[in-house]
Amino acid sequence: MSQVAIRKKEKVQISDKILVRRLTRRSFLAALGATAALPVLAACQPQVVEKEKIVEKVVTQVVEKVVTQVVEKVVTVVPLTRNLAYIANVKPPTISVIDLDRLTLVDSIVFRDLAKKEQGHFLSVSLDGKQVWIAEDISPDGGFVQVVDLATGSVLQRWDVGAGVANYITRDGKYVFTSSTKTNNINVFDVANVKYVGDFPIGTAPHVIDSSPDGRVLWTNDSKGGNLRSFDISGLPNKLPTPLDTIKIGGTLHALLVHPNGKYVFVGSDESGDNVVDVASKSIVAKVPGKPHNYDISPDRRYLAAGESDYPT
């Protein structure tokens, strides 16, 4: 594992006064409230929900297309006031649940039949905290997306549409988007109806997906293509997303985040580092050197946390 460092970067002069700060993987995860699970949290990002969980140990067998999947849940009581972070552990495929107030591991979902497979680096939790959407078995010729009931551990639905790293639920909780290494497309799901809507082409499976604050535009990248891409998603569910803009960044792209004001998109490249893209002009207005792998932004909108895969000397 390469050495990383904490270094404070110069202020990026945009309207909300974003200050980009370089963090180690440990510091980045600690900022997200996942310090207690650091030994098992490589390459992951939590989504936080508030919910009450009183759960017993459940072992559920689901047989579909002559495939038996055993989902094991071992959980404890978490009061309604607790904040939970759901963490996707890539290998072996498991989901860890962290109590952010106590910084302790309180829940684990283990996918036994996928022990030698790779699952998506992200997951999506429904806004009511009842379901988790996760992509499994990332490969050029396989992969699927499944929905797990968090109260019982049972698999509600599964689609053999390919799997990838990216997994994103819209801000209103209506749709889930997942990338597919198998098809190089982005899959779209209707959360309320637990339904597959369809897919649309991107060229190569992206690592991260985000959307504009108004929920009308989807932002993502074509990874090794080095392009920031945007799509009109306002026609869902009757109309699949259609392409809007392609902005050349260069290099292999991983990190991506839309600023809460919708005016800027942060894009991480292994060549040019952190790129601040102005949405109105569709141009790069600032850069900070580095090799960012993931982003989060502080509640006061002043700091951008960049998880660093390597740091240039």
Side-chain angles (χ1 to χ4, degrees):
M1 184 178 295
S2 56
Q3 287 282 338
V4 291
I6 301 178
R7 296 189 184 183
K8 185 176 179 181
K9 287 300 175 182
E10 60 184 338
K11 185 175 292 186
V12 179
Q13 297 297 329
I14 57 180
S15 63
D16 283 70
K17 297 181 180 179
I18 290 294
L19 180 63
V20 178
R21 175 169 293 175
R22 186 71 48 197
L23 300 175
T24 63
R25 177 174 296 176
R26 176 176 293 273
S27 299
F28 180 54
L29 288 172
L32 298 178
T35 306
L38 282 171
V40 292
L41 301 185
C44 56
Q45 173 173 315
Q47 293 207 1
V48 179
V49 296
E50 289 186 357
K51 63 190 293 288
E52 182 178 11
K53 296 191 65 187
I54 304 177
V55 200
E56 69 275 10
K57 182 175 180 180
V58 178
V59 178
T60 303
Q61 286 193 331
V62 178
V63 181
E64 182 177 352
K65 296 183 180 179
V66 201
V67 176
T68 300
Q69 177 168 334
V70 178
V71 180
E72 180 180 287
K73 284 183 63 63
V74 182
V75 283
T76 56
V77 176
V78 181
L80 183 62
T81 56
R82 298 298 181 190
N83 292 320
L84 301 178
Y86 289 84
I87 312 296
N89 304 305
V90 177
K91 289 183 179 180
T94 60
I95 297 175
S96 300
V97 183
I98 309 300
D99 181 336
L100 295 181
D101 294 321
R102 298 177 181 176
L103 293 180
T104 56
L105 177 67
V106 295
D107 192 342
S108 293
I109 301 176
V110 181
F111 302 103
R112 297 294 187 190
D113 66 316
L114 297 172
K116 296 182 180 180
K117 304 292 185 177
E118 179 182 356
Q119 73 177 1
H121 297 189
F122 298 83
L123 50 75
S124 292
V125 176
S126 58
L127 297 191
D128 60 8
K130 294 182 179 180
Q131 302 170 355
V132 60
W133 297 65
I134 187 74
E136 306 287 4
D137 187 15
I138 298 176
S139 62
D141 55 356
F144 58 92
V145 176
Q146 64 182 7
V147 188
V148 177
D149 186 310
L150 286 171
T152 66
S154 62
V155 176
L156 300 177
Q157 189 59 273
R158 163 179 164 160
W159 300 269
D160 294 307
V161 292
V165 172
N167 185 328
Y168 173 74
I169 188 168
T170 52
R171 299 168 193 268
D172 59 11
K174 290 183 177 180
Y175 302 102
V176 165
F177 297 86
T178 66
S179 60
S180 171
T181 302
K182 178 181 179 181
T183 64
N184 285 327
N185 292 347
I186 294 178
N187 298 308
V188 188
F189 301 90
D190 181 330
V191 174
N193 297 304
V194 193
K195 178 183 177 182
Y196 177 64
V197 178
D199 65 352
F200 59 97
I202 182 73
T204 182
H207 285 265
V208 186
I209 300 171
D210 202 356
S211 65
S212 59
D214 62 8
R216 299 180 63 83
V217 178
L218 189 80
W219 289 93
T220 186
N221 59 60
D222 56 12
S223 188
K224 294 182 180 179
N227 296 303
L228 174 63
R229 303 284 302 275
S230 63
F231 294 84
D232 181 356
I233 60 173
S234 62
L236 287 171
N238 299 321
K239 182 181 179 182
L240 285 170
T242 55
L244 293 173
D245 299 304
T246 299
I247 302 171
K248 187 65 177 179
I249 304 296
T252 298
L253 309 183
H254 286 270
L256 184 148
L257 183 72
V258 177
H259 190 281
N261 66 16
K263 296 180 180 179
Y264 304 96
V265 179
F266 303 99
V267 188
S269 165
D270 64 349
E271 290 185 358
S272 56
D274 303 292
N275 295 266
V276 182
V277 175
D278 178 80
V279 172
S281 65
K282 301 177 180 60
S283 62
I284 300 172
V285 295
K287 293 184 180 182
V288 176
K291 290 187 178 180
H293 198 81
N294 214 343
Y295 289 142
D296 203 353
I297 199 165
S298 61
D300 62 6
R301 304 182 181 185
R302 295 187 62 242
Y303 297 92
L304 179 72
E308 186 71 13
S309 59
D310 194 7
Y311 199 88
T313 56

